[in-house]
Amino acid sequence: MKLRMAVGVVGTVAAALAVLSPTSAQAAAKPYDGQDPYRSGCAKTAREVRKAGIKSRIHGPVGTVRLMWSTKCKTNWVEVRTAASATGSISVYTKDGRSNTFRFKAGNKGRHWGDMLWANNMCAWGSVHVQWGGGKGGQNASGATGRACR
């Protein structure tokens, strides 16, 4: 009787672990996904890991895009410096297929950042697309960081 009960308990635990899919386990391990790096405090331990220019085919360089890494939170996000009149979207990607896109409005003296994605022990990269003056006459630009692996 005791042996059956032990086997039953082990079987129940194994079944419970099987129900917890890798996706569920990964989601539980990523508490900062989609959060603001400054409001969460993760930016306090941030450092730049990749930097690239934001360039327009017609107007040339119009800013910079930086991939940031928080040593405390094990997250990446993208920060942008561009014209204060620009609007656009900031995206961050991880090797495991997750991504986050943040749309920004003109203002904030041209400094913008997107939300974070957990990326411990994997590669991440970022991109930005900006537009100003309605985007007419080539008033748009883009930039992308290379991959950084942590």
Side-chain angles (χ1 to χ4, degrees):
M1 183 70 167
K2 287 183 183 181
L3 181 58
R4 274 191 197 165
M5 186 176 284
V7 170
V9 169
V10 170
T12 302
V13 169
L17 290 174
V19 170
L20 183 61
S21 68
T23 304
S24 299
Q26 288 173 352
K30 299 170 180 63
Y32 294 107
D33 277 2
Q35 290 191 33
D36 183 302
Y38 290 91
R39 288 184 181 158
S40 67
C42 293
K44 290 179 183 176
T45 63
R47 66 184 177 91
E48 177 186 295
V49 292
R50 290 282 187 266
K51 181 178 180 178
I54 303 171
K55 297 176 185 170
S56 167
R57 287 187 316 176
I58 296 172
H59 301 282
V62 296
T64 57
V65 54
R66 302 181 321 159
L67 180 66
M68 305 299 291
W69 168 254
S70 169
T71 57
K72 174 188 170 213
C73 300
K74 309 296 185 210
T75 56
N76 285 104
W77 68 93
V78 174
E79 295 197 8
V80 174
R81 294 241 183 218
T82 190
S85 61
T87 61
S89 62
I90 300 169
S91 298
V92 63
Y93 308 92
T94 59
K95 187 175 180 182
D96 66 357
R98 291 173 298 118
S99 65
N100 184 289
T101 299
F102 179 84
R103 299 199 57 76
F104 64 91
K105 297 178 182 180
N108 204 34
K109 298 181 183 176
R111 182 172 181 252
H112 307 282
W113 58 88
D115 294 328
M116 300 179 289
L117 286 179
W118 180 87
N120 194 35
N121 296 321
M122 74 176 74
C123 299
W125 60 99
S127 67
V128 63
H129 297 280
V130 300
Q131 181 179 25
W132 63 97
K136 297 176 183 174
Q139 294 174 324
N140 54 59
S142 62
T145 68
R147 288 183 183 218
C149 303
R150 295 267 151 246

